[in-house]
Amino acid sequence: DAYGCGYSSTNDIVYFDVVDFGANGADAVTVRFGYGNDNNTVTTLDVMIDDPASAAVAKLNVGYTGAWTIDGSGYITVPVEIPAGVHSVYFKFTNELSGSLSEAYFAEAEPAAVEEVVDGGSAPATFDAAVVAAVAAIISAAGYAVSKKR
């Protein structure tokens, strides 16, 4: 609804299962997040891949965006290193301050360099990335999962 996935507590996790990052993986994540505290504080999140107990591949620090609701949310982009293939993505709230996560987008990483043909050899097969593989995850009442760890 208007709040996305909010009212979080420390160590709450929002996750997206079976996300296909294609042949190149992702090099940036953009989240739409609402944080309504206008008191110079920030809420923090870690992004983990495949295992919520693994090391974070990205960290988000979100200050005041205008409101807790989607209408007052902002977009925050941070670099991330997600390998090619299918993965689960976990967003973990890491401090006592709350917020509302409503969307996550991943930018496709650049394709690997292609080897140069030498002495009449043949070029290796390459992946032709015709479409940027952006994953949009919009959380709704039926489309998100929250795992609470208490």
Side-chain angles (χ1 to χ4, degrees):
D1 284 343
Y3 290 97
C5 183
Y7 300 105
S8 58
S9 299
T10 305
N11 295 323
D12 282 355
I13 294 175
V14 177
Y15 72 96
F16 303 94
D17 204 14
V18 190
V19 179
D20 188 350
F21 289 94
N24 298 322
D27 63 6
V29 59
T30 299
V31 297
R32 186 171 185 182
F33 200 90
Y35 185 65
N37 279 338
D38 187 13
N39 59 1
N40 295 320
T41 59
V42 296
T43 190
T44 57
L45 294 99
D46 284 351
V47 181
M48 285 82 63
I49 302 302
D50 294 327
D51 180 356
S54 66
V57 296
K59 294 182 177 279
L60 295 150
N61 296 310
V62 185
Y64 179 67
T65 62
W68 298 103
T69 60
I70 291 172
D71 291 344
S73 65
Y75 290 93
I76 300 93
T77 301
V78 296
V80 66
E81 289 186 25
I82 299 177
V86 176
H87 301 283
S88 295
V89 181
Y90 299 86
F91 291 85
K92 181 178 181 180
F93 290 84
T94 58
N95 69 4
E96 71 280 356
L97 302 174
S98 187
S100 298
L101 176 67
S102 55
E103 299 173 19
Y105 301 93
F106 296 91
E108 182 180 20
E110 291 294 322
V114 177
E115 293 180 28
E116 186 177 325
V117 176
V118 179
D119 296 329
S122 61
T126 60
F127 175 77
D128 181 16
V131 178
V132 174
V135 177
I138 300 174
I139 299 172
S140 68
Y144 74 89
V146 176
S147 172
K148 285 197 166 264
K149 192 175 185 184
R150 299 254 183 219

